[in-house]
Every structure is written in C-alpha cells, then in structure tokens.
C-alpha cells in the first residue's frame, strides 16, 4: 500500500483557481496566448484522474498531432518535474496513460482527437478536459458527445473542463457555455498573458507588438471579441466610394462582384456594386459576411 504522492508545484492565479474547484460541473479557462492554459488543463486532468481512479478521464486535443506534440509532451514535462514519469505507462497505439496515485490505485487518462467525430463514441468516462476549446475544429456536436460520455455514476468528481483562447469571438460552444456562468452551471476562469511571470520578459512587448487593439484584447487578455464586420480593422469610411447615383442603380449599368479573403479560421466574403463614369471605375461595398471554417 503506497502512500499518496505529495506534489509541490508553482501555480499561476488562474491555474490555482481551476484546481481549487472540484464541484462546478463545467469549468472554462479563457486566456490569452502564453497564459498557461495547456499546463493548467494537464494539471487539472492529473487531479481529476487521481480523484476518480481507477475510472478513466478524457483529455481532448483538436488534432492527433496536438495529442502527440502538446498533450503527451506536457504530461511528460510535468510528471518529469515530479519524478513520476518513470512510473507512467504510455500505451502509444491506444493513446492511454496510466500512473500510480497511491493506495494501490491507478489513474487513467485517455487522449482523444477532437477532430474525429467517432473518437468520443463508445467510452464512458469520469471526467473530461478539452484543450484549445476555442478552435472551430472541436464542433458543438462533439462537445455534446463528450458531455454525454462523462456519466460514470460512481466517479467522485464528474467535471468537464475546457480551456482555450477565444479565437472564434462570440461564436461557438466555448462562448455559449461561458454565458451560463451566472446560472451556476459553469464557472469561468480568466487568464491574461501578462499574468504569466514565467514567460520571457520581452514576450508581450516585442513578440506581440504587431497586434491591433482588438486582437490584443482577444489574444492577450482572453476577451471574447465579436469580429463580425471587423475583419479589416484599419478600414474606415474614407476608403469607400459614395452610394452609386440614382440613375446608375435604376438603369443597372454596373455589375455586382463578390470577393473572398481567407484567414486562418475564417472567410471574409464581400459584396460590391461596380460602375464606370468616363474612364473612372467606382466601387460601392454593399455587404460583408464572415464565415468560419
């Protein structure tokens, strides 16, 4: 019968807040780049696996590449700091981690690909953590699947934890879940990049200096910023031609055009009316539609 492992680990304020709550059914950690979100989720998953042993806990990443490069490596780093990694069993083919938690019990963590619609089918779990929950790769129906799988009645701590940067703004299940905070169903922990004193001193001022105000609020402070109509943040009214003259609209001399600008996770579709007077071509933008994915 082994004694419980005692671990002393430095924590950022948001990480400590996340670990202190074993009651709220759904926890969300919303933070900026480099605010310690992934490490916080791994620490929380370690805790959930210890509390619920021997029942499995799910750890979800948006892709299998992130499962290998982010999840496994973060667990390896943290457990290596504690001297626990040599005692961990990693079944690479099945993406399963097992480790001793004391009293002869074994903690179990199953690593899940959030982009695979079948990955959450089948297994029942005691709890689940979702990393990079703000990306559109983890769809609302997948999140509902995860919620349905956290259903082992005998598990002492049935929680679902999601952490990420609010990349999608005021859209997606990550944002929708955050709105339930006042209902007492969800707790939201917020983390700023500036809170992480483990980062290099020049990280914010130098490496992220090119961000405009909206994106600084989103990627440094972790705010949900609605980007509809704000794809081109430097665009002002002076860049637009006036409304076409009445005779142009009446006689339909112009042509309608549609254009698209692809970003890393969204598309900005624009609609415009083009007409010519003499040798001058005029453009009147009539609408914009932002689509994700």
């Amino acid at each position: 019968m082994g004694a419980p492992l005692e671990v002393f680990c430095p924590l950022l304020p948001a990480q400590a807040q996340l670990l202190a709550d074993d009651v709220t059914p759904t926890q969300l950690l919303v933070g900026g780049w480099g605010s310690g979100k992934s490490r916080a989720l791994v620490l929380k998953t370690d805790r959930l696996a210890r509390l619920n042993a021997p029942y499995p806990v799910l750890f979800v990443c948006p892709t299998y590449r992130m499962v290998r490069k982010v999840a496994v490596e973060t667990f390896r780093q943290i457990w290596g700091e504690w001297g626990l990694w040599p005692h961990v069993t990693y079944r690479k083919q099945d993406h399963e981690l097992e480790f001793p938690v004391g009293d002869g019990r074994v903690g179990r963590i199953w690593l899940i690909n959030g982009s695979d619609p079948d990955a959450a089918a089948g297994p029942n779990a005691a709890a689940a953590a979702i990393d990079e929950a703000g990306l559109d790769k983890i769809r609302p129906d997948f999140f509902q699947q995860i919620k349905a799988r956290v259903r082992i009645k005998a598990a002492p701590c049935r929680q679902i934890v999601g952490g990420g940067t609010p990349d999608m703004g005021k859209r997606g299940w990550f944002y929708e879940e955050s709105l339930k905070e006042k209902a007492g169903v969800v707790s939201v922990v917020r983390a700023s990049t500036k809170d992480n004193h483990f980062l290099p001193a020049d990280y914010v001022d130098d490496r992220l200096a090119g961000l405009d105000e909206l994106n600084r609020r989103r990627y440094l402070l972790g705010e949900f910023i609605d980007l509809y109509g704000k794809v081109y943040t430097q665009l002002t009214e002076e860049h637009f031609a006036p409304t076409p003259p009445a005779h142009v609209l009446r006689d339909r001399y112009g042509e309608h055009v549609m254009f698209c600008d692809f970003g890393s996770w969204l598309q900005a579709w624009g609609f415009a009316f083009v007409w010519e007077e003499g040798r001058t071509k005029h453009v009147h933008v009539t609408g914009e539609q932002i689509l994700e994915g």
Side-chain angles (χ1 to χ4, degrees):
M1 302 293 286
L5 177 67
E6 291 187 4
V7 174
F8 297 92
C9 178
L11 298 174
L12 298 172
Q15 295 171 343
Q17 187 177 348
L18 194 74
L19 290 172
D21 183 356
D22 296 329
V23 178
T24 307
T26 302
Q27 290 181 290
L28 301 180
L29 174 58
V30 187
W33 288 336
S35 58
K37 301 182 301 298
S38 292
R39 184 177 176 90
L41 287 175
V42 167
L43 291 169
K44 180 68 177 185
T45 304
D46 171 272
R47 177 167 178 78
L48 290 171
R50 293 174 186 276
L51 292 174
N52 291 306
Y55 304 117
V57 172
L58 308 180
F59 188 91
V60 180
C61 285
T63 65
Y64 266 134
R65 182 181 181 277
M66 293 186 67
V67 167
R68 297 191 306 270
K69 299 295 185 180
V70 179
V72 174
E73 289 308 310
T74 306
F75 278 107
R76 190 196 307 271
Q77 178 185 355
I78 292 176
W79 285 339
E81 294 172 4
W82 300 349
L84 181 62
W85 184 252
H87 307 285
V88 174
T89 300
Y90 174 34
R91 297 187 179 89
K92 189 173 183 179
Q93 184 173 356
D94 297 323
H95 302 287
E96 296 179 1
L97 296 163
E98 293 187 355
F99 62 103
V101 300
D103 297 328
R105 296 181 303 130
V106 174
R108 303 165 66 198
I109 298 172
W110 294 350
L111 306 175
I112 302 293
N113 173 15
S115 298
D116 182 358
D118 298 324
N124 293 335
I130 304 174
D131 195 12
E132 296 296 348
L135 297 179
D136 65 343
K137 290 182 180 296
I138 300 179
R139 310 302 301 172
D141 55 342
F142 186 90
F143 173 65
Q144 293 301 323
Q145 277 188 297
I146 292 294
K147 289 181 68 176
R149 293 302 168 189
V150 177
R151 61 187 183 193
I152 296 179
K153 188 175 181 180
C157 185
R158 294 194 303 274
Q159 282 188 310
I160 297 176
V161 185
T165 303
D167 293 85
M168 295 173 62
K170 296 181 179 181
R171 286 173 288 164
W173 69 265
F174 192 48
Y175 170 69
E176 295 295 332
E177 286 296 304
S178 74
L179 298 179
K180 301 176 184 178
E181 182 179 18
K182 294 182 179 179
V185 179
V186 177
S187 67
V188 179
V189 179
R190 291 175 171 81
S192 168
T193 304
K194 296 180 180 180
D195 294 337
N196 190 352
H197 54 267
F198 296 108
L199 290 173
D202 62 349
Y203 185 83
V204 173
D205 293 335
D206 293 345
R207 300 188 186 186
L208 305 179
L211 293 177
D212 57 53
E213 181 59 28
L214 284 178
N215 282 312
R216 288 183 72 86
R217 288 170 56 192
R218 181 169 59 158
Y219 289 126
L220 296 185
L221 303 179
E223 292 185 23
F224 287 103
I225 302 295
D226 195 344
L227 294 183
Y228 278 97
K230 298 178 181 177
V231 173
Y232 303 102
T233 57
Q234 305 302 316
L235 198 62
T236 64
E237 292 183 359
E238 66 186 29
H239 297 106
F240 289 85
T243 303
H247 74 276
V248 173
L249 294 176
R250 184 182 64 248
D251 298 333
R252 298 185 179 182
Y253 290 148
E255 62 178 356
H256 282 88
V257 297
M258 181 172 65
F259 53 91
C260 183
D261 186 13
F262 292 87
S264 60
W265 60 270
L266 55 76
Q267 305 162 24
W269 291 91
F271 305 89
F273 189 78
V274 182
W275 77 98
E276 293 186 15
E277 291 189 57
R279 295 185 178 182
T280 303
K281 181 172 286 189
H282 302 273
V283 178
H284 173 66
V285 177
T286 58
E288 181 187 43
Q289 177 69 51
I290 309 300
L291 301 177
E292 62 181 85

